[in-house]
Amino acid sequence: MKGSIRQQGKQSWQIAIDVGKQGKRDRRFETVHGRKGDAQKRLNELLVNMEKGIYSPLGRLTLAQHLQNWLEGYARSNCSLRTFEGYQSIVEHHLIPALGDIQLKYLHDQSIEAYYGKAREKLSARTVASHHRLLSQALKYAVKKGYLGSNPCELIKAPSWKGKAMRTLTPFEVQVLLEAAQDSYYYPVYYTAVSSGLRQAELLGLRWRDLDLDLLSLSVSQVLYKRRGICRFMEPKTSHSRRRVAMTPKLALFLREYHEERVLLYLELGRQLGLDDLVFAYPDGRPLDPGTVSHAFVKIVKKARLENVRFHDLRHTFASLMLLRGAKPKVISEALGHASVAFTMDTYSHIIEGMQEEAMALLDGVLPEGVNKNSVAILS
């Protein structure tokens, strides 16, 4: 590989590099301000990097440009729409304003750590940790493409945070909660949630065609998310999320009766309830607003005098009750749509640990009593 330097101005130098021939001569240029020795140092650095297969386009690629390219070229085609929009928001509102003007080649771990420290003045540790994950992915991509020699995020300890403690309800607490919710329009959502373990987005995306009340099962084939004030239906994020879930006979009976009530309601409103209609919807057929469902749940929790219970804890409650009733982890993992049984076991490890005494009691009932003999073995 060859390179040359020529003076452009009093303190300005242009570096030219031949990067190979692909049908025609391919040359890249970069301007260096300062002394000729600075330009020579940069040229040597570029030539060494190119010998290693590393090249930062024009040497001027900023983090803002790279993040935008990464979003449009990688994230958009490899992430779900919801994830992509979340990444886009972090990039546009946080990373670019704080670090975007820095050229990629000059981005150091100290600059990134300084950003994290400043961000923590306004944002939670969990949010800053998500910024770290995104930035690390984007810079890892830059290394792969040859724009960087190494990922500065690898030199940084990710911001640590403690997630909210999982809250699972006892059977008695479930009864108290559901009694407090009986007069709520969203009662069917809450009852189905704790009976099936479905996520809120999965529940609000259910259509009547997704239910088989005779075979006691339902299928998760679409989800409902609200983003920037607009509700959108999407396909489940992974193949594990797209699944069939068995129902309890009580849930099937409840949904059958609920279906009959909805048929009558729609007839009163002058329309028919079809298979493509949502199971949980407003009377005019519009999808339920996820935020409204959650806010209503918070009020019901207060009414029931329960503490620290979120809507998502209904899913945790379903899993914990299944475990405590002896369901196999693989069955629970499939019902929850987890990627692996190992993830399920890790998530609910504290519940499994609490089952050891009960398991030992069961084992005690199976094994025979031991017999002690006061004898001394004689070796011959």
Side-chain angles (χ1 to χ4, degrees):
M1 294 182 183
K2 298 179 180 180
S4 62
I5 300 173
R6 75 180 181 88
Q7 190 167 7
Q8 283 185 318
K10 190 174 182 180
Q11 293 290 322
S12 178
W13 308 84
Q14 184 186 68
I15 296 174
I17 307 172
D18 293 319
V19 295
K21 293 182 179 180
Q22 295 179 346
K24 62 179 181 178
R25 190 176 186 185
D26 189 1
R27 303 190 81 198
R28 307 293 170 86
F29 301 91
E30 180 176 335
T31 299
V32 176
H33 297 281
R35 298 173 300 175
K36 186 176 181 179
D38 297 324
Q40 186 64 54
K41 181 179 179 181
R42 175 59 181 158
L43 174 60
N44 294 339
E45 176 186 324
L46 287 173
L47 291 174
V48 169
N49 285 344
M50 291 181 69
E51 288 290 344
K52 296 178 180 178
I54 300 169
Y55 177 68
S56 179
L58 304 182
R60 297 176 181 174
L61 185 68
T62 64
L63 179 62
Q65 292 169 327
H66 173 65
L67 288 173
Q68 292 289 6
N69 293 339
W70 176 78
L71 278 174
E72 295 300 325
Y74 177 83
R76 186 181 287 278
S77 59
N78 289 279
C79 302
S80 69
L81 179 60
R82 187 186 185 209
T83 299
F84 172 79
E85 290 179 342
Y87 284 169
Q88 190 175 46
S89 178
I90 292 173
V91 166
E92 293 178 355
H93 295 108
H94 299 282
L95 296 179
I96 286 181
L99 302 168
D101 291 336
I102 302 176
Q103 289 185 19
L104 208 57
K105 63 186 178 184
Y106 295 135
L107 181 64
H108 301 296
D109 54 303
Q110 295 95 331
S111 302
I112 298 172
E113 285 183 315
Y115 163 68
Y116 291 161
K118 190 172 182 180
R120 278 290 289 118
E121 295 175 4
K122 295 182 179 180
L123 304 174
S124 69
R126 179 179 183 178
T127 299
V128 177
S130 69
H131 293 189
H132 174 77
R133 286 194 299 273
L134 185 157
L135 185 58
S136 184
Q137 285 185 53
L139 295 180
K140 182 178 180 181
Y141 181 78
V143 173
K144 182 179 180 181
K145 299 294 285 186
Y147 305 156
L148 276 176
S150 61
N151 183 353
C153 281
E154 293 179 354
L155 302 175
I156 303 171
K157 182 179 179 181
S160 59
W161 59 278
K162 291 183 178 180
K164 290 184 178 179
M166 183 188 298
R167 173 73 158 90
T168 57
L169 303 175
T170 65
F172 176 74
E173 287 176 322
V174 170
Q175 183 178 347
V176 170
L177 179 68
L178 292 177
E179 287 178 355
Q182 279 186 355
D183 296 329
S184 171
Y185 183 79
Y186 307 111
Y187 174 90
V189 181
Y190 306 145
Y191 182 80
T192 306
V194 78
S195 301
S196 65
L198 264 61
R199 303 174 178 91
Q200 185 190 73
E202 296 170 342
L203 289 161
L204 302 187
L206 280 177
R207 299 163 299 181
W208 286 107
R209 71 167 56 258
D210 298 322
L211 306 187
D212 191 328
L213 300 178
D214 293 324
L215 295 180
L216 306 183
S217 69
L218 59 86
S219 298
V220 178
S221 57
Q222 69 173 14
V223 294
L224 174 71
Y225 289 118
K226 185 178 181 181
R227 189 71 180 169
R228 297 178 180 175
I230 300 175
C231 289
R232 296 178 180 175
F233 292 102
M234 306 178 191
E235 290 188 0
K237 186 175 181 180
T238 66
S239 58
H240 301 286
S241 298
R242 232 176 350 260
R243 65 196 187 280
R244 188 186 72 83
V245 180
M247 291 188 205
T248 64
K250 286 181 180 178
L251 177 59
L253 176 61
F254 170 80
L255 289 175
R256 190 183 297 278
E257 294 173 348
Y258 175 66
H259 179 263
E260 294 172 358
E261 291 179 0
R262 300 297 286 185
V263 168
L264 294 176
L265 173 63
Y266 275 44
L267 286 176
E268 290 178 7
L269 297 174
R271 55 178 301 217
Q272 288 187 333
L273 183 66
L275 290 176
D276 287 320
D277 282 309
L278 294 171
V279 175
F280 308 114
Y282 292 115
D284 60 3
R286 289 181 299 116
L288 298 182
D289 185 289
T292 303
V293 174
S294 295
H295 289 316
F297 183 76
V298 170
K299 293 180 180 179
I300 290 168
V301 168
K302 291 181 179 179
K303 180 181 176 182
R305 296 183 178 181
L306 298 172
E307 296 182 357
N308 302 320
V309 181
R310 306 162 299 168
F311 186 95
H312 196 70
D313 290 325
L314 296 179
R315 176 173 165 86
H316 293 320
T317 297
F318 165 83
S320 66
L321 293 179
M322 288 274 282
L323 279 168
L324 292 171
R325 293 302 179 274
K328 295 181 179 179
K330 181 173 175 57
V331 173
I332 300 172
S333 182
E334 291 174 350
L336 294 174
H338 285 168
S340 67
V341 178
F343 178 82
T344 305
M345 297 291 280
D346 183 58
T347 303
Y348 299 102
S349 59
H350 63 291
I351 296 173
I352 296 171
E353 289 173 2
M355 296 167 60
Q356 288 187 23
E357 291 183 3
E358 181 179 345
M360 290 302 173
L362 291 173
L363 183 62
D364 189 65
V366 174
L367 295 177
E369 293 183 359
V371 177
N372 281 307
K373 291 186 177 179
N374 295 320
S375 60
V376 177
I378 300 175
L379 297 177
S380 57

